[in-house]
């Protein structure tokens, strides 16, 4: 008996130690980013390098916010993201509802097509989309980028809302219809309010996919007119490679919205994962 | 008659709801695929002059082609194996009944997955810096290496170094999926096994792992597709260098595109498309079966 207890204790200690190791592996690099962003420039390149400073500064953040193009990239990213969200929700929620509620020929095949289209490599789609946008004059525009981001966002929006609608019992719709509600009235007054949290999460997911996307944004945007944060940040880091503090402060400014959304909507993120959402 | 009418109305409504999104997607997916195939057999950006397999021959006969394919294979196999084993291990650790605050562990570990790709790349580029990077600093202070290593400027080290970052960022995905799968296994199964005197290893081998088979399959395919499609991390960290040692298929498309070799890029794209399609079809077939 005591042998068993000792064995169990040992197992617990080893398990916790391994988990702590994994947490350090995932989190230490991120902690380093935060620490570096608050380090005075003179301290960043010391040998041996040190993780934390004794004199934290907000100077790098000030520099990024007031003396670089990062804020204008941020505005572009948010505008593109909102447009993607809007379009993905209008088209995706409608399609998701159709797939979840109605029986019709090809339902299964068509919903799988949506899932499939999301697995196409973006580098493959990049060339035709680039040439197309050049032809119709939408290269280097927020609208053009947003439309191309629908390739990522629309399938996810469809699949997430489809699984959400499937979890809402049909009976509440039938009850509303029996009570004399018209069909569109039932959709607006019954279905949408019930599905609202799921739709909101879907929208945020779509926003983040667009906000993080790199490949398409790097070829479809050329100037500050449409350039989004990932591209801006990457260029910033190439041009100011020696200014680690500034780059890390910018990296944090870029990441904070995504991480906040994630913390609040973790449950839906995990759902989105199993709905087969492919991260660009 | 009445019943038939009803069915027709249901189908009509279904199509009406689905059509706009589906058309949009068809436009966004079928047009580019068609167009990229056309470009790959053409000598111009309009897709007009047909040149047969010339573009493909040029891609395949390029002396770098073998290296690119080899890099793609190493990158994919290594990433998938690493992330799958570590992620599954983490999920099984977390699934043990005596681990407290499970969702807190999961949330913290998920942070590396949720950070934007570009940020991950930039961050690790600095961490790997040979003079001021924390990786060398840490390894030296632990006594594992004597002199700083040139992580991102060595023909041998750079591919594994970037792969480690890809593994780092996908472990949480595998862990989350496998953990969710393990949590959905009914407790009674384990109780019965306990009564029959099965030890921890037997429970893992005969209950947990067999019941996680489907999740494993999904995880592996997603990891494969992500690795094959992976671009941002490598591009931000090394741009495919040094001397092409981290160039994979996706990067070679991008390189050709940047040098305005649209037709060569299109031919390479079709090759990548074929590889990705293979795994996408497997994934869809499995998902399709689950839905039925």
């Amino acid at each position: 008996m005591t042998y068993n207890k000792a064995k169990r204790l040992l197992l617990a200690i080893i398990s916790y130690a391994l988990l702590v190791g994994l947490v350090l592996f995932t989190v230490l690099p991120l902690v380093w980013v935060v620490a570096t962003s608050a380090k005075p420039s003179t301290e960043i390149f010391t040998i041996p390098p040190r993780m934390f400073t004794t004199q934290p500064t907000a100077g790098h953040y000030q520099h990024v916010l007031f003396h670089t193009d990062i804020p204008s990239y941020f505005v572009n990213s948010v505008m593109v993201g909102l447009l993607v969200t809007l379009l993905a929700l209008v088209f995706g929620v409608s399609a998701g509802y159709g797939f979840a509620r109605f029986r019709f020929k090809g339902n299964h095949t068509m919903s799988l097509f949506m899932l499939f289209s999301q697995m196409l490599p973006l580098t493959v789609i990049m060339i035709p989309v680039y040439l197309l946008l050049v032809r119709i004059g939408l290269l280097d525009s927020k609208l053009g980028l947003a439309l191309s981001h629908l390739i990522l966002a629309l399938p996810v929006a469809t699949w997430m809302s489809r699984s959400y609608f499937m979890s809402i019992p049909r009976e509440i719709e039938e009850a509303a219809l029996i009570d004399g509600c018209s069909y569109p009235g039932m959709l607006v007054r019954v279905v949408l309010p019930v599905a609202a949290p799921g739709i909101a999460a879907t929208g945020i997911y779509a926003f983040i996919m667009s906000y993080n996307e790199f490949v398409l944004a790097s070829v479809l945007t050329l100037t500050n007119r449409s350039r989004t944060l990932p591209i801006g940040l990457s260029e910033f880091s190439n041009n100011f490679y020696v200014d680690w503090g500034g780059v890390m402060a910018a990296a944090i400014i870029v990441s904070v919205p995504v991480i906040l959304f994630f913390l609040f909507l973790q449950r839906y993120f995990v759902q989105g994962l199993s709905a087969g959402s492919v991260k660009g | 008659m009445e019943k038939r009418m009803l069915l027709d109305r249901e189908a009509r409504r279904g199509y009406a709801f689905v059509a706009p999104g589906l058309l949009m997607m068809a436009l966004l997916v079928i047009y580019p695929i068609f167009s990229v195939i056309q470009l790959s057999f053409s000598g111009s950006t309009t897709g007009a002059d047909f040149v047969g397999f010339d573009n493909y021959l040029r891609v395949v006969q390029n002396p770098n082609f073998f290296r690119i394919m080899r890099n793609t294979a190493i990158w994919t196999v290594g990433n998938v194996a690493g992330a799958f084993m570590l992620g599954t291990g983490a999920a099984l650790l977390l699934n043990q009944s005596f681990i407290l605050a499970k969702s807190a562990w999961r949330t913290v570990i998920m942070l590396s997955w949720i950070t934007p790709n570009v940020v991950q790349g930039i961050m690790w580029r600095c961490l790997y810096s040979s003079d001021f990077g924390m990786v060398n600093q840490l390894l030296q202070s632990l006594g594992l290496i004597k002199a700083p290593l040139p992580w991102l400027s060595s023909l041998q080290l750079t591919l594994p170094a970037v792969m480690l970052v890809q593994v780092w960022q996908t472990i949480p995905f595998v862990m989350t999926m496998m953990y969710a799968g393990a949590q959905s296994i009914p407790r009674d199964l384990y109780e019965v096994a306990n009564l029959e005197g099965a030890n921890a290893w037997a429970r893992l081998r005969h209950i947990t792992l067999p019941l996680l088979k489907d999740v494993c399959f999904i995880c592996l395919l997603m990891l494969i597709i992500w690795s094959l499609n992976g671009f941002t991390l490598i591009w931000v960290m090394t741009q495919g260098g040094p001397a092409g040692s981290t160039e994979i298929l996706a990067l070679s498309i991008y390189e050709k595109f940047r040098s305005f070799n649209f037709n060569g890029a299109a031919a390479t794209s079709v090759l990548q498309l074929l590889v990705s399609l293979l795994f996408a079809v497997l994934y869809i077939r499995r998902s399709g079966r689950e839905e039925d």
Side-chain angles (χ1 to χ4, degrees):
Chain A
M1 211 55 201
T2 46
Y3 168 73
N4 251 340
K5 248 185 201 161
K7 214 168 86 174
R8 242 189 254 156
L9 186 68
L10 188 68
L11 183 69
I13 291 172
I14 293 174
S15 300
Y16 273 107
L18 287 173
L19 277 176
V20 169
L22 184 64
V23 166
L24 288 179
F25 179 48
T26 43
V27 172
L28 268 187
L30 300 169
V31 173
W32 177 83
V33 173
V34 178
T36 307
S37 74
K39 230 182 253 181
S41 294
T42 47
E43 259 188 65
I44 290 177
F45 300 110
T46 52
I47 293 183
R50 260 185 323 193
M51 186 96 166
F52 297 102
T53 174
T54 46
Q55 292 154 309
T57 163
H60 298 303
Y61 290 90
Q62 272 167 5
H63 174 69
V64 169
L65 288 175
F66 301 114
H67 302 284
T68 69
D69 284 335
I70 295 283
S72 68
Y73 300 141
F74 187 81
V75 172
N76 287 344
S77 273
V78 169
M79 285 172 72
V80 172
L82 288 177
L83 199 54
V84 171
T85 307
L86 180 74
L87 292 171
L89 284 185
V90 169
F91 289 106
V93 169
S94 155
Y97 184 74
F99 284 129
R101 274 291 182 269
F102 301 100
R103 239 184 280 189
F104 52 89
K105 219 176 156 197
N107 180 323
H108 190 59
T109 320
M110 288 191 269
S111 58
L112 285 181
F113 165 74
M114 295 290 263
L115 184 61
F116 160 80
S117 52
Q118 223 208 337
M119 290 175 195
L120 293 173
L122 289 180
T123 41
V124 171
I125 293 181
M126 164 184 91
I127 302 163
V129 169
Y130 173 85
L131 292 173
L132 180 70
L133 292 189
V134 170
R135 224 167 289 156
I136 59 177
L138 283 181
L139 188 70
D140 195 24
S141 72
K142 296 191 236 341
L143 178 64
L145 183 61
L147 288 175
S148 70
H149 276 175
L150 280 182
I151 296 172
L152 287 171
L154 189 50
V156 183
T158 306
W159 271 76
M160 275 179 81
S161 52
R162 173 179 173 273
S163 62
Y164 204 79
F165 284 126
M166 279 178 152
S167 70
I168 298 175
R170 240 194 152 102
E171 286 73 21
I172 61 164
E173 294 183 12
E174 281 156 12
L177 289 177
I178 290 168
D179 286 347
C181 207
S182 69
Y183 195 79
M186 180 273 287
L187 286 180
V188 174
R189 273 182 235 127
V190 179
V191 176
L192 285 182
V194 175
I199 292 175
T202 306
I204 289 171
Y205 208 107
F207 181 89
I208 289 177
M209 289 191 107
S210 161
Y211 183 89
N212 284 345
E213 199 283 324
F214 186 86
V215 180
L216 292 172
S218 78
V219 299
L220 301 180
T221 68
L222 306 171
T223 64
N224 284 7
R225 251 180 75 198
S226 64
R227 184 146 288 180
T228 53
L229 269 180
I231 315 305
L233 180 62
S234 150
E235 275 190 358
F236 182 66
S237 79
N238 289 331
N239 296 341
F240 299 88
Y241 188 54
V242 282
D243 177 21
W244 281 12
V247 174
M248 291 309 136
I252 288 173
I253 293 169
V254 173
S255 311
V256 159
V258 180
I259 290 178
L260 284 182
F261 276 140
F262 162 71
L263 290 177
F264 286 117
L265 293 163
Q266 222 190 123
R267 191 161 62 90
Y268 296 102
F269 265 78
V270 176
Q271 253 171 33
L273 279 186
S274 36
S277 46
V278 178
K279 204 179 163 207
Chain B
M1 196 58 195
E2 176 73 29
K3 181 139 196 197
R4 236 199 106 193
M5 282 291 289
L6 272 176
L7 269 179
D8 281 352
R9 197 171 72 175
E10 177 169 348
R12 266 209 314 276
R13 277 199 175 141
Y15 287 126
F17 276 108
V18 169
L22 204 66
L23 284 178
M24 190 86 181
M25 217 49 221
L27 188 78
L28 286 168
V29 170
I30 293 172
Y31 166 76
I33 291 182
F34 176 77
S35 165
V36 87
I37 293 174
Q38 193 190 16
L39 282 170
S40 75
F41 288 108
S42 151
S44 71
T45 53
T46 56
D49 347 54
F50 182 78
V51 295
F53 282 93
D54 280 10
N55 295 317
Y56 289 92
L57 283 176
R58 223 165 289 143
V59 167
V60 177
Q61 284 166 354
N62 189 301
N64 296 333
F65 183 69
F66 173 75
R67 192 191 58 213
I68 292 168
M69 293 312 276
R70 194 194 55 196
N71 286 344
T72 309
I74 297 174
W75 162 259
T76 305
V77 172
N79 288 341
V80 172
F84 185 74
M85 286 190 297
L86 292 172
T88 306
L92 294 176
L93 278 177
L94 199 60
N95 192 40
Q96 296 173 105
S97 50
F98 56 79
I99 299 286
L100 303 171
K102 288 183 157 111
S103 61
W105 289 102
R106 198 184 60 181
T107 304
V108 174
I109 293 170
M110 283 284 271
L111 284 177
S112 67
W113 193 73
I114 217 69
T115 315
N117 264 180
V118 180
V119 172
Q120 296 170 344
I122 292 172
M123 168 180 98
W124 278 97
R125 203 173 62 189
C126 296
L127 287 168
Y128 274 136
S129 153
S130 46
D131 303 323
F132 307 103
M134 286 317 256
V135 173
N136 276 332
Q137 166 67 14
L138 183 72
L139 292 177
Q140 276 179 301
S141 64
L142 291 174
L144 292 172
I145 54 170
K146 285 209 180 68
L149 291 174
W151 292 103
L152 295 185
S153 51
S154 138
L155 291 177
Q156 288 82 38
L157 276 179
T158 307
L159 186 58
V162 182
M163 283 164 64
L164 182 76
V165 181
Q166 172 79 8
V167 169
W168 173 81
Q169 73 121 339
T170 42
I171 287 174
F173 164 76
V174 179
M175 185 195 80
T176 308
M177 294 283 284
M178 297 294 268
Y179 174 71
Q183 286 283 296
S184 69
I185 297 174
R187 296 283 131 214
D188 330 1
L189 286 177
Y190 292 106
E191 277 159 28
V192 172
N194 276 338
L195 287 178
E196 309 224 329
N199 61 19
W201 171 244
R203 288 195 301 268
L204 181 69
R205 170 100 178 57
H206 296 289
I207 301 176
T208 314
L209 291 182
L211 288 174
L212 285 180
K213 214 173 66 191
D214 283 339
V215 188
C216 285
F217 186 81
I218 301 274
C219 278
L220 285 171
L221 278 177
M222 296 301 282
L223 288 173
I224 293 173
I225 292 169
W226 280 334
S227 285
L228 285 173
N229 296 357
F231 172 85
T232 310
L233 214 51
I234 305 182
W235 181 254
V236 173
M237 288 179 73
T238 68
Q239 305 213 342
S245 62
T246 54
E247 186 176 14
I248 65 167
L249 214 43
L251 270 95
S252 87
I253 298 174
Y254 196 79
E255 283 293 354
K256 291 193 178 76
F257 176 86
R258 270 170 38 117
S259 50
F260 300 103
N261 177 5
F262 292 110
N263 303 105
T268 318
S269 295
V270 174
L271 295 181
Q272 197 192 357
L273 191 62
L274 291 175
V275 179
S276 296
L277 277 190
L278 185 75
F279 294 103
V281 166
L282 280 175
Y283 179 82
I284 297 292
R285 275 181 50 186
R286 175 58 71 101
S287 304
R289 217 182 307 155
E290 257 175 30
E291 288 289 314
D292 291 333

